[in-house]
Amino acid sequence: MANLREVTRPAHGDSITWFGHACFRITDAEGHTVIVDPYITPIMGQSLDGLSADVVIVTHEHSDHNNASAIRTHHQIHALSAVGDGRVTRVADSPTGLIFTLIPTFHDDVHGQQRGRNVVVEWEEGGVTFCHLGDLGQPLTGAQIAAIGRPDVLMLPVGGYYTMDGAAARTVVEQLKPSVVIPMHYRVPGMTQQSLPISTEEPFLDTHGNAPWITVKHLETPILLVDADHLPHRTEVDVLEVGRIP
C-alpha cells in the first residue's frame, strides 16, 4: 500500500482519499490539499498525526470531526465559528486561492435540539465542485439546496443515529443530483456497534430497485481520481475502502 501520509499530485484530475468516518483528503493536480473532519484516534483505531494539508476544515466541533491539531497545516477553518449568526458564509484561503462556501444546517431536526449545529462545506478544486455534508441529520431545505447547487462530488453521511439514515440520505441524493456520491460516516470492520452505534452502508444502498443513481461501484481502494472533463452524466455511487496509515 502506498504511504498515505504522503501527498502526491494525481496523474489526472483530483485525488480523493478516505481515511474512514467523515475524514477525506482532496489533492488537485497543482498539489493543493484539503483535509476535512479529522477524527481522534479511537474512532478508527489509527492516528492521523503527521498528515499535512494546505487547509483543514472542521464542519462541527464534535471530537470525531474536529481533531485539526493532528494535521500539519497553515490554515484551519472551523465552520461553526465562521458562520457566526447562521448565514451562508464564504471563506478564502489566500495561498491556494480556494474559496469555501459554508452552509449552516443541523444534526437532527430543523432546530438542532438534540445534537446541535452542523455546517455543509462546498468548494471547487481542480475544476471539480466538492460538497461535504458533515453530520447532516435531515434532508435539505429549499434554501439549502439553492445555496449548494449541483455538486460534482458529494460526501454523504449514511449511517444514521448521529446523522441521516439510509432513506434520508437517498432523499438528499435526489435533491442535489451529484455526479459522484461517496458514502461516509457508517460502520466499517473494526468499528464496533458499542463504540459507535451507527449502521453499515447497506441500508443506504438497499433501494429495492428504486435508486436515485445509475450504478454502485465497490472500489478496492481508499483513493478515487476524478477529472472535471470526465465526470459521469448520471449519478454514480463509489464505495471506498478505509485508507490505513502506516
Side-chain angles (χ1 to χ4, degrees):
M1 177 182 292
N3 187 345
L4 293 179
R5 291 186 182 275
E6 298 176 0
V7 175
T8 57
R9 296 184 181 185
H12 302 284
D14 296 348
S15 173
I16 306 165
T17 304
W18 184 46
F19 292 106
H21 208 46
C23 184
F24 290 86
R25 179 177 67 195
I26 295 92
T27 304
D28 64 25
E30 296 181 4
H32 299 146
T33 301
V34 175
I35 289 180
V36 188
D37 279 6
Y39 48 72
I40 57 173
T41 299
I43 299 303
M44 296 301 304
Q46 66 176 351
S47 172
L48 300 176
D49 290 351
L51 290 179
S52 61
D54 294 296
V55 186
V56 176
I57 306 171
V58 172
T59 61
H60 64 288
E61 299 298 333
H62 288 171
S63 62
D64 55 335
H65 294 258
N66 75 344
N67 190 19
S69 62
I71 313 299
R72 296 195 304 265
T73 184
H74 75 268
H75 191 186
Q76 297 181 15
I77 298 174
H78 289 260
L80 280 180
S81 298
V83 298
D85 59 1
R87 296 182 181 181
V88 175
T89 302
R90 288 175 175 80
V91 177
D93 177 68
S94 297
T96 63
L98 299 176
I99 299 174
F100 301 88
T101 301
L102 313 179
I103 300 104
T105 63
F106 294 103
H107 262 68
D108 34 62
D109 64 20
V110 294
H111 302 292
Q113 293 181 26
Q114 270 193 298
R115 303 193 186 279
R117 298 190 299 157
N118 174 68
V119 177
V120 169
V121 180
E122 187 171 47
W123 74 102
E124 183 180 313
E125 191 171 355
V128 177
T129 302
F130 295 92
C131 182
H132 188 293
L133 296 181
D135 268 8
L136 183 66
Q138 71 286 313
L140 298 161
T141 66
Q144 291 164 348
I145 294 169
I148 295 170
R150 184 179 185 269
D152 296 318
V153 177
L154 181 67
M155 290 159 273
L156 176 74
V158 303
Y161 194 82
Y162 301 107
T163 70
M164 298 179 291
D165 61 13
R170 288 194 297 273
T171 296
V172 171
V173 175
E174 293 171 346
Q175 289 178 320
L176 296 179
K177 298 177 176 59
S179 296
V180 175
V181 173
I182 305 176
M184 67 174 185
H185 210 287
Y186 59 86
R187 184 159 52 90
V188 297
M191 180 189 291
T192 66
Q193 184 75 9
Q194 289 72 31
S195 65
L196 205 62
I198 56 181
S199 75
T200 69
E201 76 280 20
E202 291 304 322
F204 168 68
L205 298 176
D206 187 6
T207 62
H208 304 288
N210 187 27
W213 49 75
I214 190 171
T215 187
V216 175
K217 297 180 180 178
H218 292 267
L219 305 181
E220 297 180 355
T221 173
I223 300 173
L224 175 67
L225 292 179
V226 292
D227 185 338
D229 294 327
H230 298 92
L231 291 165
H233 296 296
R234 295 178 61 186
T235 302
E236 72 175 40
V237 176
D238 289 325
V239 181
L240 300 180
E241 290 189 351
V242 175
R244 294 297 176 184
I245 303 171

